[in-house]
Amino acid sequence: MKYPWVQSERVGCSRRAFLLGATGFAAAMSPIGSAAGAGIYDAPAALATMPGLKDHASAKGILFGTAIAPTKNNLSLSDPAYGSALVTECNVFVAENAMKWGSLEATRGALTFGGADAVATFAERSGAKLRGHTLLWHQNVPGWVEPALGSGGAEAVIRKHIAEVVGRYKGRVHSWDVVNEGVGDAPVARADGLRTTPFLNALGPTYFDIAFDAAHQADPDAVLTYNDYNLEHGAPYNATKRNNVLRLLEGLRKRNVPVQALGVQAHLHTGEMFVERDYARFLNDIAQLGLKIFVTELDVDDRGAPMDVSARDAQCADLVRAFLDVTLAQKACTAVLTWGIADKISWLNLPPQPLRSDGATHRPTVLDDDLKRKPMWQAIARSLLAAAAR
Ligand code: XIL
């Protein structure tokens, strides 16, 4: 086995398929470069002239995109180089924080849609689709919400919030993350694995039913998504979480709750094993429920990789390649989004996320600090092309 952190039970594409690049697109615009194969990546200059990741995704018939903020770390959507990189690479955008409850309604009844509107407008002006993130999450909940939920009016509070937010963007949103991270991490206190949140405390598990119903009423065309993390890797706690998420989604489908997709956040870690067979089986189980699958927040925490930049970039890229090869082999997967397009604005490089012990900054995304394409960019391009050729 070439890359010990990837347990390769089954490689999602034949090496030959992606070397040959069976489509005309692949032949004309192959990102494969001089040396095909995992672990070997081209220099930024060679990658610079290749078409964007959205074009590679289109060859496979899916969307590619990223999370954006109106301004982050002094980088604003109106910055010409950043804006141009976003539009070149992406045909779907999601607000990193601007559509979270705490960003929209810090004070009860005083709705502030400035940041959310800026993200929606940027997506629309770019001809891209917009994902909505997120309606109910245990983080970024305004301080007034928990007491309001506790005073007996929980369902009305949740329905009002969802009607207001989903209603504002009705007809403009490709998909909404209706509940985010509603399943706990091991060891979980409850037998059903659900995370103890203010919503669960107030309403029990029916808060899922209420939230999805409210979102469906407000925008019947948006693909309603359950979004979560720790589903990807091979450790036992990942297996437990996959199982609990599957049980949650099975229950929702049985009760005819309008959940239509699973968002696999895909915050990957170089220090953790990726077991292709377990993850592929999970995706298959999800697809069997009739759900679509979106990769919603792809990035790599590289604390398990050496400081040396090229070794580190290659490990991150290889992990992303292995992960995407399995994901894209599943036909239910119709969108891949990263959590930020450039390392300098990645949440992993900002407090309170844990930094690397050697003091180096994380290299979690597809573009470096000069917005140049990195090996991870090429890994994604190759995986998309390989999937398109299958
Ligand atoms: C993160 C943002 O990137 C940070 O800027 C913010 O401080 C905390 O939230 N899972 C999610 C995202 O669903 O909403 C989180 O975004 C990252 C983990």
Side-chain angles (χ1 to χ4, degrees):
M1 199 184 310
K2 217 166 156 195
Y3 308 102
W5 58 94
V6 176
Q7 273 202 354
S8 204
E9 300 277 352
R10 183 183 67 83
V11 175
C13 69
S14 88
R15 196 58 81 210
R16 188 170 163 74
F18 94 78
L19 274 171
L20 292 180
T23 64
F25 173 88
M29 306 195 275
S30 168
I32 291 161
S34 51
I40 303 167
Y41 298 95
D42 290 315
L47 303 178
T49 54
M50 293 173 185
L53 290 174
K54 69 178 184 192
D55 301 304
H56 292 78
S58 297
K60 154 85 178 142
I62 70 170
L63 300 171
F64 182 84
T66 198
I68 53 175
T71 304
K72 193 171 182 197
N73 252 13
N74 296 322
L75 200 53
S76 113
L77 294 174
S78 56
D79 177 278
Y82 177 52
S84 144
L86 287 171
V87 172
T88 301
E89 306 294 1
C90 301
N91 55 14
V92 56
F93 293 104
V94 61
E96 182 175 357
N97 291 304
M99 292 192 184
K100 292 171 181 169
W101 201 344
S103 306
L104 299 176
E105 199 180 4
T107 304
R108 189 170 192 176
L111 291 158
T112 49
F113 282 106
D117 283 353
V119 167
T121 304
F122 181 84
E124 281 161 359
R125 292 209 179 129
S126 318
K129 295 194 184 301
L130 174 68
R131 295 201 75 247
H133 175 85
T134 174
L135 299 169
L136 293 188
W137 187 31
H138 61 283
Q139 289 187 34
N140 209 335
V141 183
W144 61 266
V145 168
E146 198 163 352
L149 294 174
S151 65
E155 177 167 350
V157 169
I158 286 175
R159 283 193 180 274
K160 183 166 187 286
H161 164 59
I162 293 178
E164 280 169 347
V165 178
V166 178
R168 182 177 182 90
Y169 299 103
K170 182 178 182 199
R172 298 163 65 189
V173 172
H174 163 269
S175 50
W176 265 109
D177 290 336
V178 178
V179 178
N180 193 33
E181 305 179 354
V183 171
D185 292 302
V188 266
R190 294 171 53 101
D192 59 10
L194 295 183
R195 183 189 294 276
T196 308
T197 66
F199 318 112
L200 189 87
N201 288 340
L203 291 161
T206 55
Y207 90 83
F208 288 90
D209 306 41
I210 292 164
F212 279 95
D213 179 64
H216 182 65
Q217 305 278 332
D219 188 351
D221 295 328
V223 181
L224 303 186
T225 307
Y226 173 73
N227 195 48
D228 216 330
Y229 68 102
N230 271 350
L231 304 171
E232 306 82 4
H233 281 286
Y237 70 89
N238 292 96
T240 305
K241 190 141 183 195
R242 281 193 289 269
N243 190 35
N244 288 335
V245 165
L246 187 61
R247 283 195 296 150
L248 167 70
L249 294 172
E250 272 167 1
L252 296 179
R253 295 294 277 176
K254 266 194 203 123
R255 301 201 295 278
N256 286 321
V257 174
V259 57
Q260 292 150 313
L262 170 68
V264 174
Q265 289 188 7
H267 293 295
L268 306 179
H269 300 258
T270 50
E272 290 186 34
M273 269 207 303
F274 175 60
V275 182
E276 297 186 7
R277 193 179 49 188
D278 295 352
Y279 172 62
R281 189 181 297 135
F282 170 69
L283 294 186
N284 193 49
D285 290 342
I286 295 294
Q288 293 294 313
L289 291 176
L291 298 172
K292 296 214 173 316
I293 294 164
F294 306 136
V295 173
T296 51
E297 306 184 13
L298 177 62
D299 61 14
V300 180
D301 177 330
D302 64 23
R303 279 175 295 158
M307 191 178 191
D308 175 77
V309 165
S310 44
R312 187 143 51 105
D313 280 356
Q315 274 199 25
C316 292
D318 288 353
L319 177 57
V320 165
R321 177 71 200 268
F323 169 79
L324 278 186
D325 280 351
V326 179
T327 311
L328 297 177
Q330 176 52 252
K331 284 200 170 51
C333 177
T334 56
V336 173
L337 290 90
T338 58
W339 206 241
I341 200 85
D343 293 347
K344 63 181 164 188
I345 46 158
S346 166
W347 71 307
L348 294 175
N349 278 323
L350 298 169
Q353 293 307 309
L355 302 176
R356 290 176 56 89
S357 54
D358 56 20
T361 52
H362 283 279
R363 297 180 61 83
T365 78
V366 299
L367 303 182
D368 69 13
D369 289 350
D370 299 319
L371 303 179
K372 299 266 188 314
R373 291 167 170 173
K374 294 166 51 197
M376 193 188 296
W377 182 96
Q378 193 169 27
I380 296 175
R382 285 171 169 167
S383 190
L384 287 165
L385 270 198
R390 273 199 291 272

